[in-house]
Amino acid sequence: QVQLVESGGGLVQPGGSLRLSCTASGSIFTLYNMGWYRQAPGKQRELVARITSGGSTNYADSVKGRFTISREDAKNTVYLQMNSLKPDDTAVYYCNLEPSIWTKGLGFWGQGTQVTVSS
């Protein structure tokens, strides 16, 4: 069982920035592929950004050039730096650990952190 603890959400004005953090329990974090998802009211959960164990990244088109995903394996932590935030970015953001052989096929989710972009 892996536990994911998120932090860093809050209320920010349009054009502002926030950094989300997600820290995982366990000792083999470096082997995990990690992602950030978000879910706005009335909408399906969607992938925002993903980073592999090797550091390769991909992003949703809606956040390219504004958001950056990174990882610090020594701290078992993945980050999502969000710049130039827009009201449409308002959602609950979830950290995800992808299923793999290292997790015996199981995936894990954080509890979610609210991001609200409003003036």
Side-chain angles (χ1 to χ4, degrees), residues 16-112:
S17 297
L18 283 174
R19 188 176 81 156
L20 306 182
S21 300
C22 171
T23 300
S25 63
S27 60
I28 58 171
F29 178 81
T30 188
L31 298 176
Y32 299 149
N33 296 335
M34 303 293 298
W36 285 98
Y37 287 71
R38 68 185 180 187
Q39 188 167 18
K43 295 187 177 181
Q44 289 189 332
R45 191 172 296 190
E46 63 175 358
L47 176 67
V48 176
R50 177 179 179 266
I51 186 166
T52 68
S53 58
S56 298
T57 59
N58 59 280
Y59 298 90
D61 287 343
S62 59
V63 306
K64 282 180 182 177
R66 300 189 298 121
F67 290 11
T68 302
I69 189 170
S70 62
R71 61 191 300 156
E72 189 170 0
D73 290 345
K75 294 186 176 181
N76 280 17
T77 300
V78 61
Y79 304 99
L80 185 68
Q81 177 67 45
M82 306 185 293
N83 299 328
S84 302
L85 282 160
K86 306 174 181 179
D88 283 351
D89 296 317
T90 296
V92 178
Y93 284 70
Y94 296 91
C95 178
N96 173 252
L97 190 160
E98 294 182 358
S100 72
I101 59 172
W102 313 113
T103 64
K104 299 181 180 180
L106 299 176
F108 299 92
W109 293 92
Q111 79 282 3

